[in-house]
Amino acid sequence: MRFPVGFVWGAATSAFQIEGASREDGKGPSIWDTFCRQPGRVAAGATGDVAIDHYHRHREDLALLAELGYGAYRFSISWPRVLPLGRGTVSRAGLGFYDQLVDEALELGLEPYPTLYHWDLPQALQDEGGWPTRGTAAWFSDYAALMIERLGDRVTRWATLNEPWCAAFLGHFAGIHAPGVQDARAAVASSHHLLLGHGLATAAMRAARPDAQLGIVVNPAPVVGLDGIGDDAVRRVDGLRNRWFLDPVLTGSYPKDVLDDLAAVLDDLIEPGDLDTIAAPLDWLGVNYYHDLLLEPPVEPEPWPYPFAPPAHTAARTELVTDLSWPVTPNGLADLLRHLRDTYPGLPPLAVTENGAAFTDPLVDGRIADDRRITYLAGHLEALASAMADGVDVFGYFVWSAFDNLEWHDGYRPRFGVIHVDYETMVRTPKDSALWLREFIDSSRPPADAD
Ligand code: IFM
């Protein structure tokens, strides 16, 4: 498999999942700090207090990524680390941390790809209403302007949000993510305000740095109804998961059928001009892909993140299944990329900003033989190459995740890293998949791109 000259190979993380130092240097609490402290919310009572201690080990972590052959590092900025209350007083130490991280990455030949919001809303803004409240979008835009002012001289590629679907619907309807709300109106309002925040931030960042490359990261997935799941259910899930986010950002309108589905909770949520703001032109679009949504009728009740769609269960009917009971459906990545190209004329260049799998394998004699992860990655890279051969414009691929980390409400048990982390000693050990990927990256370069 060959990838074009200049194709970006990277590894991805997010602040809350790796940084730790949750109250250090004046950092304010985020909604995830609060959520983790609520009994029963997160597996085994895990918290982000220490995580993988990246806040103190960033230098060695970045050096390891450079050694492993990556040319880019996707990370997120913790909003409450730089603005402990979400607005107002700036933490010099917090800003300084990201300043240093960016400098180190550049020194090591890693292009920094910061994401401004990967779910850790400052608790102070949650206390004022959080994402269900329109004002949060404006605070997000101010924070984005602050960050580009500080880092924009060295950072070119920015993402505003990571997976707004999760923040809105896992956080405010299924209630399994922070802030743990279960309310359709709050979820839909959150989704709109997240998108509005993205649009406002994009405009503010564009004004500050016209040369910046601005994007958003979404997590669309092909939806397949298995026996017992009707077309209308598939339409509703596809509508909320995919079209509700892609259409406004890429075409400036919400899908009519989903507006109808949500009519009971829309009230006067969408104000004149909002969609123009949300559809601010983008330089790139990040796509996170893990698996297709294979829907089957539920056997027992489980948290369901799609309001006004009949409950279903995501089936894992594939030969290989991950530790999170996710099916392994590599062809879905190619289908999805082609679908985006065919559905949205004027689609900006794409990057696969997350792709990976949770598999736990033992550390034996200093080695982790994670063959299942290699199978997963090889299949998805083949699918990516096939979509690109068909003309889909993809400029980069980021594995999720660089390191084992805190998998949100599932705690530390699922291990997504291509680098193993011993949570007692904090020792990092590249798994076989990291070594395989290094080889792959090297051998997939066209001769003209070789050193
Ligand atoms: O760990 C998450 C990440 O934070 C967002 N995308 C999906 C990953 C795996 O669940």
Side-chain angles (χ1 to χ4, degrees), residues 9 60 66 85 112 115 134 169 287 298 300 305 322 342 439 445:
W9 293 102
E60 63 165 287
L85 298 177
T115 298
R134 195 174 166 92
F169 291 103
V287 174
E300 52 192 41
T322 79
D342 295 343
E439 273 292 309
R445 279 199 206 138

Side-chain angles (χ1 to χ4, degrees), residues 14 17 118-119 162-163 288 290 324 326 354 400 405-408 416:
S14 91
Q17 293 178 274
H118 199 125
W119 311 347
N162 181 71
E163 302 180 355
N288 293 352
Y290 288 88
L324 283 173
W326 291 359
E354 286 182 26
W400 183 272
N405 60 50
L406 173 57
E407 178 55 18
W408 306 108
F416 272 94

Side-chain angles (χ1 to χ4, degrees), residues 371-433:
D371 296 351
R372 294 171 297 173
R373 180 172 291 100
I374 294 174
T375 302
Y376 179 98
L377 295 176
H380 286 78
L381 287 167
E382 196 177 330
L384 171 61
S386 113
M388 290 173 67
D390 278 357
V392 185
D393 184 5
V394 183
F395 67 90
Y397 174 91
F398 293 73
V399 67
W400 183 272
S401 179
F403 305 95
D404 289 336
N405 60 50
L406 173 57
E407 178 55 18
W408 306 108
H409 63 295
D410 285 311
Y412 289 97
R413 189 188 56 81
R415 288 181 176 268
F416 272 94
V418 292
I419 299 171
H420 176 270
V421 177
D422 178 323
Y423 293 123
E424 299 287 311
T425 62
M426 293 295 162
V427 168
R428 279 74 161 137
T429 308
K431 302 179 188 177
D432 281 3
S433 57

Side-chain angles (χ1 to χ4, degrees), residues 128-164:
E128 292 180 34
W131 286 114
T133 308
R134 195 174 166 92
T136 303
W139 296 125
F140 176 66
S141 169
D142 289 354
Y143 152 62
L146 169 74
M147 293 315 305
I148 201 162
E149 190 185 308
R150 179 67 181 238
L151 302 180
D153 56 337
R154 285 152 290 155
V155 172
T156 307
R157 293 253 181 207
W158 296 82
T160 52
L161 308 176
N162 181 71
E163 302 180 355

Side-chain angles (χ1 to χ4, degrees), residues 60-61 89 96 99 119 190 371 379 438:
E60 63 165 287
D61 284 347
T89 307
D99 233 358
W119 311 347
S190 295
D371 296 351
R438 177 166 60 188

Side-chain angles (χ1 to χ4, degrees), residues 281-325:
L282 291 182
D283 300 304
W284 64 285
L285 179 72
V287 174
N288 293 352
Y289 177 82
Y290 288 88
H291 62 87
D292 287 357
L293 297 178
L294 312 177
L295 302 182
E296 64 183 3
V299 175
E300 52 192 41
E302 56 186 84
W304 176 242
Y306 300 97
F308 306 105
H313 172 73
T314 306
R317 294 202 209 153
T318 48
E319 201 177 315
L320 184 58
V321 168
T322 79
D323 287 354
L324 283 173
S325 298

